[in-house]
């Protein structure tokens, strides 16, 4: 399936992704010691996502996310969320992408709050403080991790040997930006 430009920008974690995807003003920039809004939403998304496919959120998990964030005030809110999810899926498999998640959340925000700042307010007052998220912490590079690295050293060396001169720095930059060395 071909990605839309919006999906490509989402995958690249473009800092303006949420503003463009939802038509809302940009949120304040993150402090140096905290993740960006996009990174925080990605950690939330992957926490509720399928453990085997962290890029896919089962549609029923969107409702669990809404419940955890106290966004479902009654049957009407639950029904509105279900309609938004079903409309977005339009007969596709029963899972949402990160872009689907962000756009449904933005649309659902309008049913909870009115006005141009509804999405921002819902993020700041409900989603960011209340949602469960995947945690990122340091990795112990001893024991099983060291054994795993030794086991895969030759295949990894072979993969890196095939990377071009420009590919390796780009890959390492990607790893630093995504803080893959810290992911658990």
């Amino acid at each position: 399936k071909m990605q839309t430009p919006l999906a490509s920008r989402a995958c690249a974690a473009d800092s303006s992704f949420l503003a463009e995807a939802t038509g809302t003003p940009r949120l304040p920039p993150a402090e140096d010691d905290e993740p960006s809004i996009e990174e925080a939403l990605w950690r939330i998304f992957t926490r509720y996502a399928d453990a085997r496919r962290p890029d896919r959120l089962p549609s029923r998990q969107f409702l669990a996310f809404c419940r955890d964030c106290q966004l479902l005030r009654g049957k009407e809110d639950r029904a509105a969320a279900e309609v938004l999810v079903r409309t977005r899926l339009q007969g596709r498999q029963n899972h949402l992408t990160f872009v689907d998640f962000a756009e449904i959340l933005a649309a659902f925000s309008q049913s909870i709050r009115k006005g141009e700042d509804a999405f921002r307010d819902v993020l700041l007052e409900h989603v960011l403080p209340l949602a469960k998220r995947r945690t990122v912490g340091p990795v112990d590079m001893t024991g099983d991790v060291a054994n795993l690295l030794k086991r895969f050293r030759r295949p990894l060396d072979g993969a890196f040997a095939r990377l071009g001169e420009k590919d390796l720095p780009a890959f390492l930059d990607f790893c630093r930006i995504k803080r893959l060395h810290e992911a658990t």
Side-chain angles (χ1 to χ4, degrees):
K1 181 180 168 185
M2 189 168 168
Q3 286 186 329
T4 64
L6 183 60
S8 297
R9 287 195 304 275
C11 293
D14 184 328
S15 64
S16 61
F17 162 68
L18 287 174
E20 291 178 26
T22 61
T24 59
R26 284 185 186 214
L27 295 165
E31 299 293 326
D32 288 340
D33 62 337
E34 67 182 26
S36 67
I37 301 297
E38 290 84 1
E39 179 67 22
L41 277 178
W42 176 252
R43 289 180 187 177
I44 291 166
F45 175 83
T46 56
R47 168 58 179 79
Y48 288 90
D50 184 335
R52 290 166 290 159
R53 292 291 311 264
D55 61 329
R56 294 180 172 190
L57 177 74
S59 61
R60 70 184 181 285
Q61 285 296 97
F62 185 78
L63 292 175
F65 157 77
C66 289
R67 186 179 52 251
D68 290 347
C69 295
Q70 300 175 0
L71 297 173
L72 302 176
R73 300 168 299 186
K75 292 179 183 178
E76 298 82 20
D77 289 337
R78 182 181 174 89
E82 287 176 348
V83 167
L84 286 168
V85 169
R86 282 194 204 118
T87 302
R88 183 67 180 212
L89 289 174
Q90 294 180 355
R92 320 185 255 145
Q93 290 183 343
N94 198 23
H95 66 268
L96 304 170
T97 65
F98 180 67
V99 174
D100 295 332
F101 170 75
E103 292 179 350
I104 291 171
L105 182 57
F108 188 55
S109 298
Q110 294 298 317
S111 70
I112 296 167
R113 293 274 175 101
K114 301 300 177 205
E116 127 182 350
D117 294 335
F119 183 55
R120 185 194 67 197
D121 293 346
V122 166
L123 281 178
L124 294 176
E125 295 172 20
H126 293 272
V127 174
L128 296 176
L130 299 174
K132 296 174 184 172
R133 53 185 47 80
R134 178 180 52 86
T135 57
V136 177
V139 176
D140 179 11
M141 297 300 281
T142 61
D144 290 339
V145 174
N147 292 335
L148 189 65
L149 290 174
K150 284 178 191 173
R151 180 176 165 204
F152 288 104
R153 175 157 184 126
R154 290 189 68 167
L156 287 173
D157 285 346
F160 284 115
R162 289 185 184 88
L163 290 175
E165 202 173 285
K166 295 179 182 176
D167 295 332
L168 183 58
F171 175 75
L172 293 175
D173 286 342
F174 170 80
C175 290
R176 273 188 221 96
I177 290 168
K178 294 294 184 182
R179 298 191 308 184
L180 295 180
H181 60 287
E182 297 176 3
T184 57

